[in-house]
Amino acid sequence: MTEQTKFQIKFKAIELLAKTLEPPAAGMEPKEINFQFSLDLKVAPEQKTVGVFTDVALLQIPEGKRLAFFRLLTLFEIVNFQEVVKEVHENLYDIPAQVEILLKSTGLSTIRGVIYSELRGTHLNNAVLPLIDIASIVMDARRKAKRL
């Protein structure tokens, strides 16, 4: 039986990289909002860090008009980087699924709080990013990648 690697992960930084908030149309308050999001991991082996770039756009339904956009960097230091992150090819890294899920979930929950804070007191005050099952999304993406 192999010994499981313990992950030593620290928050390094949280940075709001972009924010746009469109003014409300006269007499129109958005009733239904669609959230579109993307999560991307970037590895910096020299610094032993992994950054989660999270983009969230708020779109008015049914028109699809963009009401707001946020981009957040959540940076993590992985103390035992060489044990956890493996270079597969040049600039291509393998991160264990449970670490990817943890980092992406943390990035998404962090941007949820940022969006809530930034939209307070605006016409989008009631727009709250819903809970999203990142584990299922990550595992589905990994299964699809193996099939290619």
Side-chain angles (χ1 to χ4, degrees):
M1 191 160 156
T2 61
E3 188 177 319
Q4 195 171 19
T5 303
K6 293 184 180 172
F7 310 118
Q8 299 171 24
I9 302 171
K10 297 180 187 179
F11 255 114
K12 194 79 169 158
I14 299 169
E15 188 173 342
L16 183 59
L17 301 174
K19 171 190 163 185
T20 59
L21 179 59
E22 299 300 324
M28 292 262 310
E29 185 162 326
K31 298 205 181 349
E32 285 191 63
I33 295 173
N34 183 24
F35 291 88
Q36 289 184 343
F37 73 95
S38 67
L39 296 155
D40 190 25
L41 293 180
K42 298 290 183 193
V43 176
E46 314 78 39
Q47 288 82 31
K48 298 183 177 182
T49 60
V50 177
V52 179
F53 290 84
T54 309
D55 293 352
V56 176
L58 287 75
L59 306 173
Q60 186 169 339
I61 296 175
E63 299 86 356
K65 178 185 178 219
R66 189 155 105 171
L67 304 170
F69 175 79
F70 297 88
R71 171 173 277 167
L72 187 77
L73 167 62
T74 314
L75 189 64
F76 301 92
E77 177 184 359
I78 301 181
V79 177
N80 56 337
F81 188 89
Q82 282 74 23
E83 296 171 40
V84 176
V85 181
K86 304 295 181 200
E87 188 170 20
V88 179
H89 298 291
E90 188 175 336
N91 295 321
L92 182 62
Y93 297 89
D94 182 43
I95 297 173
Q98 63 225 60
V99 173
E100 181 180 358
I101 291 166
L102 174 68
L103 298 181
K104 286 182 173 181
S105 293
T106 304
L108 193 61
S109 60
T110 302
I111 202 169
R112 180 180 296 108
V114 168
I115 291 170
Y116 179 80
S117 176
E118 293 289 326
L119 295 180
R120 248 183 118 165
T122 72
H123 63 291
L124 297 173
N125 188 63
N126 294 323
V128 178
L129 182 64
L131 296 177
I132 298 166
D133 182 4
I134 293 300
S136 293
I137 293 169
V138 167
M139 297 312 289
D140 285 347
R142 285 175 174 250
R143 277 190 287 277
K144 287 177 186 171
K146 283 186 179 179
R147 283 186 257 162
L148 298 178

